[in-house]
Amino acid sequence: MKFFVGILSLAVIAFVSACDSNNDTGERGTESDQWSGSVEVGDEIRIINISGSITTSLTPRDEVFVRWTKHGDMDDLPRVDILVSSSAAGVTIRAAYPDESVDVGVDFEVEVPAGVDFAAQNVSGSVYATDLESDVFVSVISGSATISTTELAEAHVISGTVDADIRTVDWDHDLSFSVTSGTLRVRIPSNVNAEVNAAAISGTVTCDFPLAGTSSNRHGTIGMGGPLLNLSVVSGNVYLHSGPAA
């Protein structure tokens, strides 16, 4: 895990760059392009989007492959740039908008090799990071985060849902999932060793594990104990499920 820009940074991006425009008077069209390149195991491919979906899949190749499709007003399509930058932590691909008047969304499709961390930030739209063999980090303002991985994951959503399936017991750090308004659902292996704190300010907590507490706040130790799994919802429900042993 090299870096993970949090949900508050996304809120700033949403404020200054939101493309949720109502300029729906021009001819509609699409425009696609792609990038592929090497990202070292343990480094990260990060996608930053404003409006549209981000979908990932596992690839047997050594390279990361990213395809994006811009869709919206034909006159606005050239105004949205897709910027690719590299750093010591990995590669970032970002949809860049000149201002909030642009009526364009961008859908990303990402193929991720095993061991390459995947991070996604989205303002309006969903992130699907499923059947990966990587650490996964997702933050969304409005939409859903759907995650399944043989490694570790974290996700934070303002308005929408989180559905995460973690399929490893090898936890070397604390994990955090949060939803401000919506539903939070997390599955972990039945034989994991962890501490758990699960809370819903306005809602309920449902847990397959024998944790202490109340209907809205559950806490305790699973197995021999270990890193903390923190689950929090402001308005909505929390579900912690026991998955197959890993």
Side-chain angles (χ1 to χ4, degrees):
M1 185 193 329
K2 296 293 183 179
F3 55 85
F4 178 47
V5 177
I7 198 74
L8 292 179
S9 296
L10 265 181
V12 174
I13 296 172
F15 178 76
V16 300
S17 305
C19 63
D20 194 16
S21 171
N22 292 319
N23 296 342
D24 198 15
T25 58
E27 182 181 354
R28 315 298 288 179
T30 62
E31 182 180 290
S32 297
D33 206 344
Q34 63 190 46
W35 173 91
S36 62
S38 178
V39 178
E40 295 293 329
V41 170
D43 286 349
E44 183 175 75
I45 176 69
R46 179 170 57 153
I47 307 298
I48 302 176
N49 201 13
I50 300 297
S51 177
S53 64
I54 303 172
T55 304
T56 71
S57 60
L58 178 68
T59 177
R61 299 195 301 267
D62 292 335
E63 287 190 327
V64 172
F65 176 84
V66 182
R67 177 182 175 85
W68 54 86
T69 300
K70 296 186 284 186
H71 50 87
D73 190 298
M74 286 287 290
D75 292 335
D76 282 345
L77 291 179
R79 302 179 64 198
V80 177
D81 293 322
I82 307 300
L83 306 180
V84 181
S85 60
S86 299
S87 71
V91 174
T92 297
I93 299 180
R94 177 170 66 92
Y97 288 73
D99 54 58
E100 69 276 7
S101 69
V102 177
D103 181 21
V104 172
V106 184
D107 295 332
F108 288 90
E109 300 172 61
V110 188
E111 297 180 10
V112 184
V116 173
D117 293 350
F118 173 73
Q121 298 169 238
N122 208 356
V123 173
S124 178
S126 296
V127 177
Y128 306 94
T130 57
D131 296 322
L132 296 183
E133 297 179 6
S134 312
D135 286 353
V136 177
F137 316 97
V138 175
S139 56
V140 176
I141 295 292
S142 178
S144 63
T146 303
I147 300 167
S148 60
T149 180
T150 60
E151 301 301 322
L152 299 177
E154 296 187 58
H156 303 276
V157 170
I158 295 294
S159 177
T161 62
V162 170
D163 192 334
D165 186 1
I166 299 172
R167 301 170 183 170
T168 180
V169 295
D170 185 18
W171 296 17
D172 59 4
H173 61 272
D174 297 344
L175 302 180
S176 177
F177 295 86
S178 68
V179 174
T180 301
S181 177
T183 300
L184 173 57
R185 191 181 303 271
V186 176
R187 279 167 296 280
I188 58 177
S190 59
N191 60 332
V192 75
N193 296 309
E195 302 293 331
V196 175
N197 184 44
I201 294 177
S202 177
T204 60
V205 175
T206 301
C207 183
D208 291 346
F209 298 91
L211 301 180
T214 68
S215 62
S216 61
N217 194 321
R218 305 287 292 275
H219 54 87
T221 299
I222 299 176
M224 301 298 292
L228 175 66
L229 174 63
N230 191 65
L231 310 174
S232 63
V233 169
V234 175
S235 178
N237 300 320
V238 177
Y239 300 89
L240 178 59
H241 297 302
S242 175

